[in-house]
Amino acid sequence: MKNIAKFIFVILWTTSTSFAQNIIKGKIFDNSTKEPVVGASVKALGTNAGTTTNINGEFLLKTAEKINKISISSIGFQALEVDYKADKALSISLEPSVENLQQVVVTANREASLRTEAPVAISKLSSTLINDAKPTSMYEIINKTPGVVMMNYNNEQHGMGIRQPMGTAAYFLYLEDGVPIRPMGVFNHNAIIEMNVFSVSSVEVVKGPASSLYGPEAVGGAINFITQRPTAVPTARVGIQFDNYGYKRIQYGAGATVGKFGLYLGGYVAKQVDSWQSRSDFDKTSFNARAEYKLSDKTRLVSTLAYNDYYSQTGGSVDSIAFYKREYSSTSDFTYRKVLATRAKISLEHTWNTNAETTVTPYYRDNSVGQNPSYSIRWTTGATTAKGEINDNSFTSYGVLAQHSQRFNFFKARLLVGGTYDYSTNPYRSYTIDLSAKLRADGKSVEKYTLVKENPDVFVAKYDAKIYNTGLFSQFDFEPIQKLRLSLGLRYDRMSFDYLNYLDNNATGTKEYSQVTPKIGATYDLGNGKGIYANYSQGFSPPGLTAVFRKTPAGSANPFYYNLTPAYFDNKEVGGWASFLDNKIYIDLAYYEMNGKNELLNIRQPDGSTDYQSAGKTLHRGIEYGITYKPNSEWFIRFGGTNAVHRFIEFTLSTRASDVVKNVNGKDMPSAPSFIANSEITYKPKWAKGLRAAIEWQRLSSYYQNQINTVVYKDKTAFGLSGVSVLNFRAGYTFKGIEVFTNIMNLTDELYANQASRGNNATDRTTYTPAAPRTVVIGLQYNFTGK
C-alpha cells in the first residue's frame, strides 16, 4: 500500500512539475516622460515565449521553461535585455532613441503608425528633445522642425510659417491630441497662446495639405500637440525658471496609475515685469489634466481638461529710428491682449479585436480673446491723429469626433472612416478709439500714440454668428505588392454660418462653403533603412469670419467682404528617407510644389488698415531636408532646413488707372525668406553622467518686406550673414533628481527683427518687431520617480 501511495505521489509531482508555468508580470515605460510604452515586444530569451504590452504598458508572460533573461524592444526606443528573478514584478524604463526615422506617429494616419508608412512630410519632436530644450515658449521647440519657422512676438505671442510666408495667412491647423484648438472660421493665428508647454509630451508636425484627414485650414500643415499621459509609475516634478529681464515661472506636474485609473496634472504660473521692451508685462496661468480609466481589457475612457488665463501688455512694432538705436520703447501705453480659454473632452476607446478599433470623442470649448491691438492702429503719414480699435472675439463650441479603424487580412489593408460635427456660437465686437500722434522731427513716423477717447458705439465690426462645421473622412491603406504601400484619402467638409450683422442694417443670412478634398500617396521600402514616397493632395480653407464682416476701405464697391471666397491648393510632393553607417546617419527629404488659387491676401493701405482680397494665383515650391548624425552615445548632431520660393503668379493690387502699380504678377511674396535652417550639436559626456550641453543655430535668409519687392530686410547678424543668424546655448545637469539648467538665447546679442514689414505706398515706412537681446534663463527643478 505504501509503495502504491509513493507511486501516485511521484506521478502527481512529475505531472504538476511538467505543467508548471513561470509567470512574469511587469510594466514598461518611457524613461523621459514615464508614460507607459504601448505595444512593446517582450520575449523570454532562450524560449519561444513572447508578448506585448497593453495600453497601460503592462505585460504578462507565461512559459513552462525557466527564464533567466528577457528582451524588450519598441519602435522609437533603445532595445534592452533584463535579468529576471523569480516571483518579482518588473518595472522597466526604456530610453527613447534619438533617430528621426523609425518613429511612431499618430497625426499622419489618425492612429499610431510607423513614420515610414506615411506618404507625407512629418516630423516628430520627441519628449527627449523637449525636455532637453527646457522651453520658455513653444517657438523654441517648433523651430527645430525642418521647413518650419515660428516667429517669437514675445510673451508667448507668435506667428507661423509652414510652406507659406511667415505669419501672413492662417493656412495651418493647431491640434491638441487630434482635436482642433479653435473651430474653423475663427481666427487661429495666435492659438498656441492657449497651450501649456510644460504638459506637452511630444509634438508632431505634418507639412503640406492634411485636409483629407483634418479638414480645412490644414493647408500649409498641421501641428498636433500631444499632452502628457498618466505615468506608469508615480512621478512628481516641480521647478522654477527666471531670466535677466524680469521673467519668472513656477512649474509643476505629477502623475500615477493605480489599478485601472491613471491621472496626470501639470501646469505653470508665469509673470513678466519690467522686461527689455517697454509695455511688455504679462501674466499667465496654464493648467492641464488627463485621466484614464480602464473599463475592461478592450475599453477605456480618456478625459482631458485644459485651462489658460493669459494677459499681456503689447509693445508692438517700432520704427527704424527706435529699432537701430535699440530703444525698445513702445509707441503706445494702452495696448493689450487677454485670453481666457477652457477645453474639455472625453474619449471612449474600444478595441473590438486585433483588427478593429473605435473612438468617440465629445468635446467642449469656451474661449474669449479681448485686445486693444497695436497692429490695428491706423495712421496716415504726417497726421497728428490716428485711430485704433478694441475688440473681443469669443466662442463657445460643442462637438464630437468619431472614427473607426478596420484592418483586413488581404494586402495588409486598413480602412479608416470617421466624421466630425462642431457647433460654435461666435459673437464679435470691435469699436474704435481716438488717438493723438506725437511725430518725430521728420514727420514721417510716430514717436508716441496717446489714447484720447474710446468710442464704444462706433463699431468697426459687430456681428453674431452660429457656425456649423461638418466633416466626413475616410482613408484606405494597402500593399498591392510587397514593400509598396498605397494610401487613398477623401474628405467632405461643409462650413456654414447663420449671421446677424448689426452694421449692415441688422442684416441676417446664411453663408456656406463646402468642398471634397482628396489625397493619394505611396511609400516604397527600398530596404536597409531606405525608402521613398510620393503624394498628391488638395487643401481648402474658407475665409475667417473676422475678415468676412469687416468694413471695406472707402471707395470699395461693397461695404463688407461678403464676396470673399475659399482658397484652394493643389500639392504635389515626393520625398524619401535613408540611413547610413549602421544607423548613425539619417536623412529625411521632401520636394513639394503647391499652387494656390483665391488665396486670402491683404494689402496694407496708406493709413495702416488692411484691404482683403481672395483672388489670383500663388506658387509655393521648395525642398525640405533633415539630417541627424549620432557617431556615438555622447554626440548628437542635427540639421534641418528648407529652400523655398513663395511667389505671386497672378494678383491684382488695383484696377484704378491712377495707380502706378496694378499687379504683382511674378513677384516674390513678402516675409518669405528663401532659406530657413535650424541646426544643433548636443554633447552628453560619459565622464559626467547627467550633464548636457548644446549649441543651436537659427537661420533665415533676407526677404522682401513688401508685395512690390522694393525693400529687403537684409541686416547683418551672426557670422556676418544677412537676414537672421542667431546662436542659442543650452546646458543642464541632473543629480539624484535635482536638475539645474540654463538657456542663453541670442548668445552673441545680435540686433534683429522677428518681423519687418512695409506697405506698397511710397510714403510707407518699415515697422520692426524687435527680437530680444541676449537673454539668460536659469532654472531649477526637482524630479521624483517612484516604483
Side-chain angles (χ1 to χ4, degrees):
M1 189 69 181
K2 287 183 179 180
N3 290 333
I4 294 175
K6 288 181 180 179
F7 176 76
I8 293 174
F9 175 78
V10 169
I11 293 296
L12 291 175
W13 182 85
T14 304
T15 303
S16 63
T17 302
S18 63
F19 285 98
Q21 285 187 325
N22 292 303
I23 300 176
I24 305 176
K25 295 181 180 180
K27 52 189 172 185
I28 299 174
F29 55 91
D30 184 327
N31 189 50
S32 178
T33 65
K34 306 303 184 288
E35 295 174 319
V37 176
V38 181
S41 174
V42 182
K43 295 181 178 180
L45 294 180
T47 74
N48 294 320
T51 186
T52 57
T53 56
N54 62 17
I55 194 69
N56 292 324
E58 301 164 337
F59 68 89
L60 181 66
L61 182 62
K62 298 179 180 180
T63 177
E65 301 170 79
K66 185 178 179 181
I67 301 173
N68 295 316
K69 184 173 288 190
I70 62 173
S71 68
I72 301 100
S73 61
S74 181
I75 296 295
F77 294 89
Q78 298 177 24
L80 186 68
E81 292 186 358
V82 178
D83 293 329
Y84 172 68
K85 295 181 180 180
D87 302 323
K88 182 180 179 182
L90 297 175
S91 183
I92 303 168
S93 63
L94 294 183
E95 286 288 344
S97 56
V98 295
E99 62 266 16
N100 294 324
L101 180 64
Q102 279 283 33
Q103 290 192 345
V104 175
V105 294
V106 297
T107 311
N109 298 314
R110 274 197 177 272
E111 67 175 12
S113 60
L114 292 179
R115 158 67 186 93
T116 51
E117 293 180 353
V120 296
I122 184 170
S123 297
K124 181 172 182 175
L125 304 172
S126 68
S127 57
T128 300
L129 181 149
I130 295 171
N131 187 57
D132 286 351
K134 290 291 185 295
T136 298
S137 296
M138 204 71 76
Y139 80 93
E140 297 176 45
I141 54 176
I142 298 298
N143 281 338
K144 298 178 188 291
T145 308
V148 176
V149 58
M150 180 176 175
M151 294 81 70
N152 172 27
Y153 293 159
N154 303 318
N155 293 358
E156 300 192 25
Q157 300 169 103
H158 56 87
M160 184 64 67
I162 311 177
R163 295 191 177 180
Q164 291 276 325
M166 302 185 300
T168 58
Y171 292 132
F172 44 81
L173 184 64
Y174 295 136
L175 305 157
E176 183 178 50
D177 296 324
V179 176
I181 295 175
R182 293 182 182 174
M184 179 170 58
V186 177
F187 183 83
N188 78 331
H189 285 59
N190 50 26
I192 298 182
I193 286 178
E194 301 160 26
M195 290 299 302
N196 176 357
V197 67
F198 197 65
S199 290
V200 171
S201 175
S202 62
V203 182
E204 295 180 1
V205 183
V206 176
K207 291 166 284 186
S211 296
S212 65
L213 276 182
Y214 292 100
E217 296 182 332
V219 174
I223 300 181
N224 189 13
F225 298 95
I226 300 170
T227 59
Q228 171 82 44
R229 287 190 62 193
T231 51
V233 293
T235 63
R237 53 180 181 157
V238 60
I240 59 171
Q241 286 189 32
F242 57 91
D243 69 21
N244 56 321
Y245 288 112
Y247 177 82
K248 300 178 180 66
R249 185 169 94 187
I250 299 174
Q251 53 204 27
Y252 60 91
T257 299
V258 179
K260 297 182 177 181
F261 180 73
L263 179 66
Y264 183 84
L265 307 172
Y268 64 92
V269 178
K271 190 176 186 65
Q272 173 79 69
V273 179
D274 297 332
S275 182
W276 57 272
Q277 184 180 29
S278 299
R279 190 67 187 172
S280 60
D281 291 358
F282 96 104
D283 297 271
K284 181 176 179 180
T285 299
S286 192
F287 173 78
N288 276 66
R290 176 166 174 151
E292 299 182 4
Y293 184 72
K294 183 180 175 182
L295 295 172
S296 69
D297 288 339
K298 293 185 176 182
T299 308
R300 70 168 182 159
L301 285 173
V302 179
S303 180
T304 64
L305 172 68
Y307 172 82
N308 288 273
D309 187 352
Y310 174 95
Y311 176 85
S312 176
Q313 300 173 340
T314 52
S317 56
V318 298
D319 62 18
S320 60
I321 296 174
F323 179 71
Y324 288 110
K325 285 185 176 181
R326 290 202 174 200
E327 293 178 356
Y328 300 118
S329 57
S330 175
T331 57
S332 61
D333 59 5
F334 49 83
T335 53
Y336 65 87
R337 173 175 284 142
K338 57 181 179 181
V339 179
L340 187 61
T342 302
R343 297 182 299 276
K345 67 178 185 295
I346 184 166
S347 297
L348 176 63
E349 302 175 357
H350 181 70
T351 301
W352 302 95
N353 50 53
T354 56
N355 293 321
E357 299 175 0
T358 300
T359 302
V360 180
T361 306
Y363 58 85
Y364 165 81
R365 314 184 195 96
D366 187 70
N367 187 297
S368 175
V369 179
Q371 57 181 347
N372 185 334
S374 58
Y375 61 77
S376 290
I377 294 176
R378 300 181 296 280
W379 171 78
T380 303
T381 302
T384 58
T385 60
K387 291 285 187 181
E389 67 178 80
I390 295 175
N391 61 53
D392 186 277
N393 193 7
S394 303
F395 64 84
T396 302
S397 299
Y398 303 89
V400 62
L401 168 66
Q403 68 179 48
H404 177 77
S405 175
Q406 183 71 49
R407 291 174 176 81
F408 302 95
N409 294 325
F410 58 89
F411 298 139
K412 297 181 180 179
R414 183 201 72 136
L415 175 65
L416 176 74
V417 294
T420 180
Y421 178 77
D422 189 302
Y423 166 72
S424 301
T425 57
N426 178 214
Y428 183 88
R429 305 291 185 269
S430 177
Y431 62 84
T432 66
I433 56 176
D434 296 333
L435 309 174
S436 64
K438 179 183 177 183
L439 306 183
R440 294 194 182 274
D442 60 3
K444 296 180 180 180
S445 59
V446 176
E447 181 180 345
K448 187 75 172 180
Y449 292 107
T450 302
L451 176 60
V452 176
K453 180 185 177 183
E454 294 188 11
N455 305 301
D457 297 323
V458 182
F459 289 96
V460 178
K462 182 183 180 182
Y463 62 85
D464 289 333
K466 296 179 180 178
I467 307 172
Y468 309 90
N469 290 321
T470 304
L472 299 172
F473 59 87
S474 64
Q475 182 168 300
F476 184 62
D477 304 318
F478 64 102
E479 291 186 13
I481 60 175
Q482 190 176 7
K483 297 185 178 181
L484 175 66
R485 189 163 187 83
L486 300 181
S487 179
L488 307 174
L490 192 69
R491 176 167 174 138
Y492 168 77
D493 280 285
R494 178 180 182 272
M495 170 188 162
S496 66
F497 54 90
D498 300 331
Y499 67 86
L500 169 59
N501 188 353
Y502 294 96
L503 302 190
D504 190 16
N505 298 315
N506 292 334
T508 60
T510 299
K511 288 187 70 68
E512 175 186 331
Y513 308 99
S514 61
Q515 182 68 18
V516 174
T517 49
K519 183 194 80 172
I520 179 170
T523 60
Y524 187 78
D525 185 359
L526 298 172
N528 298 318
K530 300 174 179 64
I532 57 175
Y533 78 88
N535 78 58
Y536 168 78
S537 56
Q538 290 185 347
F540 154 70
S541 185
L545 270 63
T546 52
V548 171
F549 295 109
R550 202 87 176 163
K551 285 185 177 181
T552 58
S556 299
N558 301 302
F560 297 92
Y561 290 97
Y562 290 142
N563 61 337
L564 292 178
T565 57
Y568 302 94
F569 296 85
D570 285 296
N571 183 77
K572 298 179 287 291
E573 182 174 339
V574 294
W577 60 87
S579 63
F580 303 97
L581 301 179
D582 294 327
N583 296 334
K584 292 179 180 180
I585 297 178
Y586 291 88
I587 299 175
D588 215 335
L589 188 69
Y591 172 82
Y592 70 92
E593 182 174 307
M594 185 166 65
N595 295 283
K597 180 181 179 182
N598 295 338
E599 190 169 337
L600 181 61
L601 300 169
N602 60 74
I603 303 171
R604 189 194 293 185
Q605 302 301 293
D607 66 351
S609 62
T610 297
D611 181 18
Y612 295 101
Q613 293 187 29
S614 57
K617 299 177 181 178
T618 57
L619 168 67
H620 309 274
R621 177 193 294 145
I623 182 169
E624 299 163 342
Y625 36 88
I627 304 169
T628 63
Y629 176 46
K630 188 173 178 61
N632 52 51
S633 61
E634 294 182 298
W635 292 94
F636 179 61
I637 303 169
R638 63 166 185 81
F639 179 85
T642 182
N643 295 84
V645 172
H646 304 285
R647 183 165 293 160
F648 297 108
I649 302 301
E650 295 179 12
F651 190 75
T652 300
L653 292 179
S654 174
T655 58
R656 292 183 295 230
S658 58
D659 289 339
V660 176
V661 181
K662 294 182 173 57
N663 66 68
V664 287
N665 298 351
K667 295 188 181 297
D668 288 345
M669 301 177 76
S671 300
S674 60
F675 176 62
I676 296 171
N678 185 281
S679 184
E680 191 168 27
I681 300 174
T682 302
Y683 179 52
K684 297 181 178 180
K686 290 182 178 179
W687 53 266
K689 186 177 180 180
L691 179 65
R692 61 173 174 81
I695 187 78
E696 178 187 44
W697 179 53
Q698 178 71 45
R699 171 76 177 126
L700 280 71
S701 65
S702 57
Y703 55 85
Y704 288 110
Q705 299 180 26
N706 57 3
Q707 293 169 319
I708 59 176
N709 291 182
T710 58
V711 185
V712 178
Y713 178 69
K714 55 181 180 180
D715 289 0
K716 301 290 186 181
T717 42
F719 310 117
L721 298 173
S722 299
V724 175
S725 176
V726 179
L727 294 173
N728 302 315
F729 174 78
R730 297 179 174 91
Y733 180 66
T734 303
F735 179 73
K736 293 185 177 181
I738 299 176
E739 187 174 10
V740 293
F741 59 90
T742 183
N743 293 345
I744 305 177
M745 312 302 290
N746 191 4
L747 180 65
T748 56
D749 199 25
E750 304 295 333
L751 172 64
Y752 71 100
N754 280 307
Q755 185 76 278
S757 63
R758 181 186 290 211
N760 297 324
N761 304 285
T763 56
D764 287 338
R765 294 292 180 267
T766 301
T767 58
Y768 299 85
T769 303
R774 182 191 297 115
T775 303
V776 180
V777 179
I778 296 174
L780 175 67
Q781 185 168 300
Y782 175 68
N783 305 297
F784 166 79
T785 303
K787 296 182 180 180

